[in-house]
Amino acid sequence: TAQACVSVSVNNTPPTVTGVSPLKGATNVAVAATVTAAFSEAMDPATISGNTFELRDAANNLVAATVSYNGANQTASLASATALANSARYTATVKGGAIDPRVKDLAGNPLVGNFTWSFTTVASGFVCPCSLWDNNATPAVVEENDTNPTEVGVKFRADVSGYITGLRLYKG
């Protein structure tokens, strides 16, 4: 008689948080920032919610937010229902441990313990991306037959670190 050998693989490895945004200890975070946590493996979407991924202010008040999970990149996202306060410290927590509610992978393994990190929002009331110009600004004269070269420029000073991600030039 022939016997069949069957090999069964069981996943007993708990998931881990492999990356977060904003970064732990980050400062000057935009008040409209989405908070994210990336996982080491695919997670059970049913376990990722406002009960297992939360954001709290410095007074430990829960921030009203929408929580979602993207299985393609194994990332949970938390978007605040309103803009965060300026110059405020916030603490994000992905819940794990032995007691539900907690996040779990597809095999039912929970995160070993809570994963917590904090960040501080930007001091000013500016919402970025920022611009020196109104988004609807256009030249008063759209086209001009001017054959003379003209040098133009803008000089500005920033109070916080940042990046220039685009320039806008109008030419008739």
Side-chain angles (χ1 to χ4, degrees):
T1 63
Q3 293 186 15
C5 182
V6 177
S7 176
V8 177
S9 176
V10 177
N11 176 356
N12 291 323
T13 305
T16 59
V17 174
T18 58
V20 297
S21 177
L23 295 174
K24 179 180 180 181
T27 58
N28 296 319
V29 174
V31 295
T34 297
V35 180
T36 64
F39 298 96
S40 60
E41 60 182 299
M43 302 298 286
D44 179 355
T47 67
I48 298 179
S49 68
N51 295 322
T52 58
F53 187 15
E54 64 183 28
L55 185 64
R56 293 187 177 267
D57 64 17
N60 204 36
N61 297 312
L62 186 64
V63 174
T66 301
V67 175
S68 60
Y69 176 70
N70 182 331
N73 62 11
Q74 301 170 185
T75 300
S77 298
L78 183 149
S80 176
T82 60
L84 301 177
N86 292 107
S87 298
R89 182 176 171 86
Y90 288 90
T91 301
T93 302
V94 178
K95 293 184 179 179
I99 300 170
D100 286 331
R102 58 200 167 146
V103 298
K104 298 177 185 175
D105 66 15
L106 292 174
N109 301 309
L111 199 64
V112 172
N114 288 353
F115 187 94
T116 303
W117 74 101
S118 297
F119 60 90
T120 305
T121 55
V122 67
S124 72
F126 293 108
V127 176
C128 290
C130 305
S131 177
L132 298 174
W133 316 113
D134 178 338
N135 284 334
N136 298 318
T138 57
V141 178
V142 178
E143 191 170 333
E144 180 75 27
N145 287 331
D146 185 359
T147 59
N148 298 318
T150 303
E151 183 177 330
V152 296
V154 173
K155 183 176 181 179
F156 72 96
R157 183 182 319 223
D159 294 332
V160 295
S161 297
Y163 300 94
I164 296 174
T165 58
L167 297 172
R168 186 171 33 175
L169 171 70
Y170 290 102
K171 180 180 178 196

